[in-house]
Amino acid sequence: MHTLSTEDKNILLQSIRNIPDFPKEGIIFKDISTLLSNSQAFQTLMNHLEKRYASYNLDYIAGIDARGFIFGAVLADRLGIGFVPIRKKGKLPFSTVSEKYALEYGEDEIEVHIDAFEYERKTKGAKVLLIDDLIATGGTAKAASHLIEKVGAECVEVCFIMELAFLHGRDAFDMPVYSVLVED
Ligand code: AMP
C-alpha cells in the first residue's frame, strides 16, 4: 500500500486555499482550484493515487459531480479503466437510477445511468472506486455509494482528497474510506 511522504503531504496541504465564509458565514471552503493549477501538487496527488490503486484490480472509477470528475477521470485514465460520472439530477440523458440525500436545509438528488458499470464487463459486479474532492458530513458520497450498489456494481472503497474529520462523515460508510489529507 503506497503512503504519502510528509513532504508530499505538505506540498498538497499548502496548495489548497482556505476561503472563510464561502458560500455562507461560518464555512471555511477548501478551494482545490489552486491545487489543480499547481502542476507539482496535481502530479504529486495523482502519482500517489495511481500507486495506491494500481493493485486494487478496479473496473471503474466513479466521480461525484463536479470536482470528483477531475480527479476521477485522470485516475481512470492512468489506471487504464473507465470513468463513470455521478451527476446532479436532470443532467444524464439515458435511463437513470437516482438517490435523494439530506442537505443542511432541504435535500438534493444525484443520478447514475442504469448501465454505467456494464459497458466493458457486460456483467454485474464490477469493482468500483468512488471519488470526490472532500468529505464533510458524508451525505453526498453515501448516496453515491448507494447508487453504485443499486445498479449492481460493488463500491470497494470511497476516496477523498480531503476529510473534515470533526464532522465524522466517514462513520456513515460500511466500506473502507480513504482520505489523502485529514483536517481534525
Ligand atoms: P457532504 O455531503 O456534507 O460530505 O459534502 C460534500 C460535498 O460538498 C462535496 O462535493 C464537497 O465538494 C462540498 N463541500 C462541503 N463542504 C465543503 C468545504 N468546507 N469546502 C469545500 N467543499 C465542500
Side-chain angles (χ1 to χ4, degrees):
M1 186 72 65
H2 187 258
T3 50
L4 199 62
S5 68
T6 309
E7 192 188 332
D8 284 352
K9 215 168 248 188
N10 286 335
I11 290 172
L12 297 183
L13 281 171
Q14 284 159 16
S15 75
I16 296 173
R17 181 163 57 181
N18 289 327
I19 313 280
D21 299 323
F22 183 88
K24 56 186 177 188
E25 231 182 291
I27 305 279
I28 298 175
F29 192 84
K30 300 288 175 184
D31 178 14
I32 54 98
S33 73
T34 43
L35 184 161
L36 297 171
S37 62
N38 175 334
S39 60
Q40 186 197 17
F42 197 13
Q43 271 188 38
T44 298
L45 174 67
M46 295 316 305
N47 288 343
H48 167 58
L49 292 177
E50 180 182 1
K51 286 185 192 135
R52 176 180 173 84
Y53 289 110
S55 59
Y56 271 58
N57 225 345
L58 297 165
D59 296 306
Y60 295 92
I61 308 288
I64 300 177
D65 200 345
R67 291 182 288 269
F69 294 173
I70 303 164
F71 305 106
V74 175
L75 182 58
D77 184 58
R78 284 194 177 205
L79 296 176
I81 58 177
F83 173 78
V84 170
I86 294 183
R87 299 219 59 183
K88 297 272 166 61
K89 190 177 170 56
K91 300 288 185 188
L92 290 171
F94 188 57
S95 304
T96 59
V97 172
S98 69
E99 177 101 3
K100 291 194 172 108
Y101 59 97
L103 296 174
E104 201 175 344
Y105 300 104
E107 60 179 20
D108 215 337
E109 197 166 350
I110 50 174
E111 297 183 321
V112 71
H113 278 147
I114 49 167
D115 60 351
F117 302 105
E118 293 170 39
Y119 181 67
E120 282 165 282
R121 286 172 56 99
K122 303 280 179 216
T123 55
K124 300 278 179 189
K127 287 171 73 173
V128 179
L129 174 76
L130 176 63
I131 190 162
D132 201 4
D133 66 328
L134 182 135
I135 175 169
T137 66
T140 316
K142 178 85 181 148
S145 73
H146 283 162
L147 282 181
I148 292 168
E149 315 255 321
K150 269 188 184 174
V151 295
E154 183 194 354
C155 182
V156 296
E157 184 158 295
V158 191
C159 173
F160 301 96
I161 311 311
M162 174 155 279
E163 172 175 353
L164 304 182
F166 53 90
L167 294 171
H168 304 289
R170 69 163 54 229
D171 299 349
F173 294 86
D174 43 22
M175 66 278 292
V177 173
Y178 173 66
S179 303
V180 178
L181 305 168
V182 178
E183 194 162 284
D184 293 314

